Every structure is written in structure tokens, then in C-alpha cells.
Amino acid sequence: SQTIHQWPATLVQPVGSPLSLECTVEGTSNPNLYWYRQAAGRGLQLLFYSVGIGQISSEVPQNLSASRPQDRQFILSSKKLLLSDSGFYLCAWRVQMNTEAFFGQGTRLTVV
Amino acid sequence: AQTVTQSQPEMSVQEAETVTLSCTYDTSENNYYLFWYKQPPSRQMILVIRQEAYKQQNATENRFSVNFQKAAKSFSLKISDSQLGDTAMYFCAFTPQGGSEKLVFGKGTKLTVNP
């Protein structure tokens, strides 16, 4: 069966520090991968999505970047965190555009 | 750009009653897919129902059904016989079929079911 792992679950980082959030999927090949941010319990903002290794589409120009070094690995990064980067980050995957997206447990990031 | 609008930030309903959550979207695509997701306090995202734009028949999943109005670009969710466990954030989502794998969500509606 397919599973998605996202870590860490909670992270507190100082302003200006780097960030690396990792997401891996098991049990499927060539998934579409997504990073979302949910601020203050509200809507899901699509940050990045990827349809294959090395293929990254950015939806919102900002302080973050994403990479997909392996088929089932998706990484969200920042060189220098801002206070505004605080939020709940969700990774998701799905097989095709008409199918259900499966979400990780999320990472709560607090930038202090 | 494709956008999804949920105009009701919060709603409440009495247990066993029916409630309808609204969603509109903006797209120039003719073929696409629409979804409703539920996010309970645990924050785990759960698919509630999906609709293909080329299908005229409204999707139904047990107590959940949609009213899909393609011309109006409207996709509302009806929850019948509301249960306490339906208390959650509900998100409408959209995927265009034309080559993009984007999955865009609305801002959500916080639904509270009262005993």
C-alpha cells in the first residue's frame, strides 16, 4: 500500500536560519508531488508541485524553494527563514490529475 | 489563472439537519476535476467527494452530495443528516485537465455541527 512520510512534525527555527522539510512516498512510482502552506488554520496555498524528477513548478514567488532529487522524494527549503514563513506545511501526492491526493501529517513551522 | 472561492468562512448546523457549503471557481478550461476535502481537528486531509466536469450527473457519496452547475462554475456540497463527526474544515479543490497537474484549493469553510 502507498504511504507518505513527512517530517519533522514540529519545528521552531530562528529568523535567518535555513530550512529543510522532507517528504517521501512509498508504494508508487512517478507520483505528482505537492507542497502546500496553511496559515492560521485557513486555506491551503499551493507552493510547489512536481510531475517528475527535477521538474518543479513554483506557484508563489517567495523565500522558499523545492527540489525533487529522487522519484519519491520532495524537499522544501529556504536559505534564510522569515517570520512570515511560519505556518503548517503539507506535502501531498497523487497518481493522476483526476485522482485523490493523499496528504502527509504536516509540519508545524514556527519562526521566532 | 484558476481560482477557487469559498464565500462562507464559517457555518454551523444542528445535528441531523442538512447544510450546504458553497464553492465557485474560475477557469477557461472545459474539462477539469473538482473535489471536496475535509480537514478535522487532527488536520488529516480526507477526500469527501469528487466530480468530473464532463459528467452532468451530480456525484453522491452516502450523506454527501454535490450540486455541480458548470455554466455557473459552481460546485456546492450538501451534507445531509449532519453528524457531530462532520465538524471540520471543508475545502473545495480544482484540477484543470489541460496538461497541468495543479491542484488548487479554496480558503475553506469551518463547519460546526451542534448537538
Side-chain angles (χ1 to χ4, degrees):
Chain A
S1 62
Q2 302 96 344
T3 56
I4 179 170
H5 302 281
Q6 185 182 342
W7 68 92
T10 305
L11 192 59
V12 180
Q13 292 284 97
V15 169
S17 64
L19 171 73
S20 180
L21 302 181
E22 189 163 341
C23 173
T24 59
V25 180
E26 295 178 358
T28 188
S29 296
N30 196 30
N32 296 323
L33 297 171
Y34 304 83
W35 276 113
Y36 292 90
R37 177 168 60 200
Q38 185 176 22
R42 296 305 299 171
L44 293 171
Q45 180 186 31
L46 177 61
L47 301 176
F48 303 95
Y49 65 100
S50 172
V51 300
I53 297 175
Q55 300 178 58
I56 307 295
S57 296
S58 175
E59 285 299 296
V60 183
Q62 58 202 332
N63 187 41
L64 302 170
S65 62
S67 62
R68 185 171 177 173
Q70 301 181 43
D71 181 42
R72 290 169 287 182
Q73 183 184 29
F74 205 24
I75 298 172
L76 183 69
S77 304
S78 173
K79 292 183 179 178
K80 290 185 177 181
L81 283 169
L82 307 172
L83 288 174
S84 57
D85 291 325
S86 294
F88 189 66
Y89 289 81
L90 281 162
C91 178
W93 74 274
R94 63 177 179 174
V95 176
Q96 299 175 30
M97 63 181 70
N98 64 331
T99 59
E100 175 182 2
F102 296 91
F103 287 79
Q105 295 295 314
T107 296
R108 178 175 298 282
L109 171 66
T110 304
V111 182
V112 295
Chain B
Q2 295 96 355
T3 58
V4 178
T5 302
Q6 294 180 249
S7 59
Q8 306 149 315
E10 295 190 33
M11 294 190 72
S12 63
V13 64
Q14 291 299 122
E15 195 174 7
E17 293 187 347
T18 295
V19 63
T20 299
L21 310 183
S22 64
C23 171
T24 58
Y25 55 93
D26 183 25
T27 183
S28 58
E29 300 279 344
N30 188 48
N31 295 317
Y32 45 87
Y33 302 92
L34 295 160
F35 307 85
W36 277 99
Y37 281 84
K38 168 184 177 181
Q39 187 184 43
S42 67
R43 288 210 154 187
Q44 181 62 49
M45 295 288 287
I46 303 166
L47 178 69
V48 175
I49 201 166
R50 87 185 88 193
Q51 174 82 40
E52 291 91 343
Y54 62 85
K55 289 186 177 179
Q56 293 185 341
Q57 186 174 5
N58 290 323
T60 299
E61 289 287 343
N62 300 314
R63 298 182 294 107
F64 299 88
S65 61
V66 299
N67 182 6
F68 174 49
Q69 301 290 328
K70 189 173 184 179
K73 297 181 182 177
S74 171
F75 183 59
S76 60
L77 174 70
K78 186 172 81 171
I79 306 174
S80 304
D81 186 25
S82 297
Q83 301 175 0
L84 296 179
D86 295 333
T87 293
M89 284 286 288
Y90 286 82
F91 294 97
C92 179
F94 162 88
T95 285
Q97 188 180 16
S100 169
E101 292 291 341
K102 288 171 59 173
L103 178 60
V104 180
F105 285 80
K107 292 187 180 299
T109 295
K110 183 178 181 182
L111 176 67
T112 301
V113 180
N114 299 309

